[in-house]
Amino acid sequence: MTRVLTRPLLEIKNLDVDYGLGDEAVKAVRDVSLTIHRGEVVGLAGESGSGKSTLAYGVTRLLPPPGVVSNGSVVYHPPTGDPYDVLNLSHHELRKYRWAETSIVFQGAMNSLNPVHKVSVQLMDAIKAHEPTSSKASRLARAKELLRLVGIAEDRLEAYPHQLSGGMRQRVMIGMALALEPQLVIMDEPTTALDVVMQRQILGQLVELRERLGFSVLFITHDLSLLVEFSDRIAIMYGGRIVEEAPSAAIYRDPKHPYSEGLLRSFPALRGARRELTGIPGSPPDLRGMPTGCSFHPRCPKAFEPCSTDLPILGKPDDHVGEPRTVACWLHPVTAG
Amino acid sequence: MKFLLQRFAFYLFTLWAAITLNFFIPRVMPGDPVSSLISKNQGRLTSDAIHSLEVLFGLDKKQSLWDQYIGYWQQLFKGDLGMSFTFFPTPVSEVISQSLPWTVGLVGITTILSFLIGTALGVGAGWKRGSWIDSLLPATTFLSSVPYFWLGLVAIALLAGPGSWFPSSGGFTPGLVPAWDHYFIGSAINHSLLPAATILISSMSGWMLGMRNMMVTVASEDYITVAHAKGLSDKRVAFSYAARNALLPNVSGFALSLGFIVGGTLLVEIVFSYPGVGYQLFQGVQAYDYPLMQGIFLVITISVLVANLLADVAYLLLDPRTRKSG
C-alpha cells in the first residue's frame, strides 16, 4: 500500500511546544520534524503524555493557554501558490486557513458538538464562515451531501447532538471535517471513545473517503496496531520527541527503537498470528523532570552506557540499507551529517 | 408538550396546597385572632367589619369547616380577599392592586436590568480573562456581599437629605395626584432612582460572577475548540457557542428571581418607605393585619409558581436536551 509520495503538504520543522513560560515551562514537544506528503496517511503513535495531541494543537495553533509554540515552523504548501508558515499567519489569515486547508477530528467524540444547536447548523456555519456569499440552500445541500458521505440519513440534519449515538456523532464530525474539502485532516484519537466494532467501521469508511477525495491524514493514536494497517508511514513519539519514523510495514516487521517494539507488543495484532502481549514496564516520564540522555533509558531493557548521558540524534541509522527510515537510539547510531 | 402539561398540573396542585394551607393556618392557630384584633382596636371597628373578620376566619360558627372551605374558594374566585385591617375599610385586593404596580415597576425593571447588565459583563469577563471587565469582579463581589438594605441606608445617609435632589422616602412627591402626566411620572422616576440603584448594584454582580464562571467552564469544552478550529469568527464562537451554553443555568436563576420580585425586596421598600407590596406587608405584620398578610402571601405564592413555570418553559426553549419527548 506504500505509494510514491514526493510532494510535501505540511512540513513541521524543529517544533518546540512549552506549557508555561521561562524556567517553569514544561517542555511537552521537543525538536519535532515531520513531513506529511500529499495524499499520505501519517500515523503518530505514543503513550498518553508523549506529546502527540500537543503536537497536533501546536501545528493548528489551537493550544490552550498556557501552551506556546516556542520554536520551529509549520510550512504549508497550498495546491496553488507559495508555501507559507502557518505559525506566522495573522489572526484573520489563520481563520481563513483553518478548516479550509487543515481540519481536525478531536478525540472527544461525545463533546465535540455544541449541544444546543442542530447538526445542520453546525455543519453549515463552518461553510458560511469560509464562503460568506454562499446561499443557504447551497449550504444545506452541502450539509446533506456530507452526511450521506459518512453514511448518515439526511433527516438527522434536524437532530440535536444528544439524539445521536457516539459513533454517529463522530461520523458527523468526520463529515464536518470534510466540509470544505481540506488538504489535510488531523485525526486526534478519533475512535478512542468508541467500541471496537464501531472503530473498524469508521476507519474503514475513512480509508474509503480518503481514496475517493485524496486528502492527507495525520492520524494520532496510542494504538499502534491500528496504524500499521491504516497508515503509509508511522512516527513514534516518546517524551515529546519523535524516536522513530519509518514506513508502516517496516515498523511492524522490524522496529528499531526498543520503545516502538514495546508499543507493538502491547497490542494484539489485528491480523496474523497471535503473539504474547508484554507491554512496557514503568510509566511515561514526567515532563517536568526528563531523564538525561535518551529519555526512554530508565525503562529500556536494552539500555547501555551512552543512553543515560547522551541524547541520541534522530537520523538514518548507519546499519540500515533500503527505504528511508530514521531512529533515535544508541543501538543504531547515526553518523551526524 | 407533555412535559409542560405535567409541570403545569404539578404547579396547580402546589397552588391548591398553598391556598389550602393559607385557609387552615389561621383556623388552627391557638387563640382567636379576631377577638385579639377587636381588643386591640376597641371602638374603631364597626359590627360589619367584625362580622367580615369572623366570616374570614370562620368564626361565625354556624358553618362546618368544609362549608367554610368552600366559601373561602368562592370568595377567592370573586377576587374577594377580605377587608384589610390596617387600611380599613379598603378591601385587601384593592390594597394589593395599589401597591403591586410600584413593586413590579421598581423591582421588576431593576431585576431585568441587573440580569441583562450582569450577564453581558459576565460574558465579557469570562471570554477575555484578565481584561478590564474581569478586574471589576473583586469590587462587584464586595458590593454583592453587602446587604440591600444596608446599602440603601448608606445611600440615604450620603445622597439624600435636606437640599439633595434625591428624595429619601416615598414613591412620589406628597401632594401629587397619581396620573399619567410628566409631573407624576418624573417624580416617580426620581423617587425610584436610589432604591433602584441599591438593588441594581447589589444584585448585578451575582449574575456577572455566575455568568463569568460558566463562560470559563464552557470555554474549555471540546466544542469550543472545534468552533475555533472551524475558523468561525471570534464573535460567533463567543456568543453562539460559549455564551449560548453558559447562559442556561443563569436563565433558570433569572426566572426564579422573577418570582421573588413581589416579596423579595421587603427591606429595600422599608428603608425607602416605598409604597410597594413589601412595605405593605411590613405594615400588615406590625398591625396583625391577617387578611392583608394572607392576601400578600397568596400573591407571592402565585408569582413564585408562575416564575417556576417560566423557568421550565425557558429551559425547554433554550436547552434541546430537556425536550425528551418532543
Side-chain angles (χ1 to χ4, degrees), chain B residues 37 40-41 85-86 281-290 293:
Chain B
L37 290 178
K40 276 198 185 112
N41 291 269
F85 200 76
T86 337
L281 179 62
F282 174 64
Q283 287 179 313
V285 170
Q286 278 187 325
Y288 295 95
D289 191 344
Y290 287 101
M293 283 191 266

Side-chain angles (χ1 to χ4, degrees), chain B residues 135-273:
Chain B
S135 60
L136 281 180
L137 268 177
T140 56
T141 310
F142 169 74
L143 285 175
S144 77
S145 61
V146 175
Y148 283 175
F149 63 93
W150 190 79
L151 209 59
L153 288 173
V154 171
I156 289 175
L158 292 181
L159 297 173
S164 164
W165 185 69
F166 289 110
S168 64
S169 70
F172 51 93
T173 313
L176 273 184
V177 182
W180 287 109
D181 57 24
H182 66 97
Y183 290 112
F184 181 71
I185 292 174
S187 164
I189 290 175
N190 181 218
H191 278 74
S192 69
L193 282 180
L194 273 190
T198 310
I199 300 173
L200 207 58
I201 286 173
S202 54
S203 65
M204 196 177 74
S205 65
W207 300 121
M208 182 179 169
L209 194 67
M211 193 61 191
R212 183 232 178 233
N213 290 348
M214 274 315 290
M215 281 296 280
V216 171
T217 311
V218 169
S220 61
E221 292 280 352
D222 289 338
Y223 53 82
I224 300 294
T225 316
V226 172
H228 280 301
K230 273 155 81 172
L232 302 183
S233 68
D234 212 41
K235 216 168 78 194
R236 174 142 177 105
V237 183
F239 289 102
S240 184
Y241 281 69
R244 180 67 173 70
N245 278 284
L247 194 64
L248 295 175
N250 248 23
V251 162
S252 52
F254 173 63
L256 288 179
S257 78
L258 287 180
F260 293 103
I261 286 176
V262 176
T265 45
L266 185 95
L267 291 170
V268 174
E269 290 187 2
I270 293 171
V271 166
F272 288 97
S273 307

Side-chain angles (χ1 to χ4, degrees), chain B:
Chain B
M1 222 33 236
K2 193 179 156 221
F3 172 75
L4 257 191
L5 283 178
Q6 274 177 349
R7 300 303 292 171
F8 192 70
F10 172 75
Y11 289 130
L12 271 185
F13 173 78
T14 315
L15 183 65
W16 168 79
I19 291 174
T20 304
L21 276 178
N22 223 1
F23 168 80
F24 278 108
I25 286 174
R27 283 163 182 79
V28 298
M29 274 194 308
D32 178 350
V34 175
S35 46
S36 80
L37 290 178
I38 295 168
S39 66
K40 276 198 185 112
N41 291 269
Q42 273 177 356
R44 277 189 281 148
L45 283 179
T46 62
S47 56
D48 272 356
I50 293 172
H51 181 69
S52 83
L53 280 172
E54 281 177 342
V55 170
L56 181 81
F57 290 118
L59 296 172
D60 44 345
K61 295 191 177 69
K62 288 167 211 104
Q63 284 180 306
S64 70
L65 202 62
W66 175 249
D67 287 336
Q68 292 176 30
Y69 184 59
I70 299 291
Y72 175 75
W73 273 101
Q74 280 168 348
Q75 278 193 327
L76 212 57
F77 275 112
K78 280 184 260 166
D80 182 1
L81 299 170
M83 292 285 181
S84 161
F85 200 76
T86 337
F87 304 96
F88 191 78
T90 324
V92 166
S93 49
E94 209 177 308
V95 174
I96 293 178
S97 66
Q98 273 169 7
S99 55
L100 205 57
W102 290 101
T103 297
V104 172
L106 173 73
V107 192
I109 289 172
T110 47
T111 303
I112 293 170
L113 267 185
S114 90
F115 172 74
L116 292 179
I117 298 174
T119 303
L121 286 175
V123 170
W127 191 243
K128 291 211 154 66
R129 261 181 290 169
S131 65
W132 65 270
I133 303 178
D134 210 13
S135 60
L136 281 180
L137 268 177
T140 56
T141 310
F142 169 74
L143 285 175
S144 77
S145 61
V146 175
Y148 283 175
F149 63 93
W150 190 79
L151 209 59
L153 288 173
V154 171
I156 289 175
L158 292 181
L159 297 173
S164 164
W165 185 69
F166 289 110
S168 64
S169 70
F172 51 93
T173 313
L176 273 184
V177 182
W180 287 109
D181 57 24
H182 66 97
Y183 290 112
F184 181 71
I185 292 174
S187 164
I189 290 175
N190 181 218
H191 278 74
S192 69
L193 282 180
L194 273 190
T198 310
I199 300 173
L200 207 58
I201 286 173
S202 54
S203 65
M204 196 177 74
S205 65
W207 300 121
M208 182 179 169
L209 194 67
M211 193 61 191
R212 183 232 178 233
N213 290 348
M214 274 315 290
M215 281 296 280
V216 171
T217 311
V218 169
S220 61
E221 292 280 352
D222 289 338
Y223 53 82
I224 300 294
T225 316
V226 172
H228 280 301
K230 273 155 81 172
L232 302 183
S233 68
D234 212 41
K235 216 168 78 194
R236 174 142 177 105
V237 183
F239 289 102
S240 184
Y241 281 69
R244 180 67 173 70
N245 278 284
L247 194 64
L248 295 175
N250 248 23
V251 162
S252 52
F254 173 63
L256 288 179
S257 78
L258 287 180
F260 293 103
I261 286 176
V262 176
T265 45
L266 185 95
L267 291 170
V268 174
E269 290 187 2
I270 293 171
V271 166
F272 288 97
S273 307
Y274 200 78
V277 176
Y279 189 53
Q280 226 69 278
L281 179 62
F282 174 64
Q283 287 179 313
V285 170
Q286 278 187 325
Y288 295 95
D289 191 344
Y290 287 101
L292 183 60
M293 283 191 266
Q294 274 191 312
I296 290 179
F297 286 142
L298 186 69
V299 172
I300 293 176
T301 309
I302 292 173
S303 58
V304 169
L305 289 178
V306 168
N308 268 289
L309 194 64
L310 277 180
D312 286 339
V313 174
Y315 229 95
L316 223 50
L317 288 177
L318 287 173
D319 191 346
R321 284 165 294 186
T322 51
R323 292 172 225 157
K324 273 179 200 144
S325 47

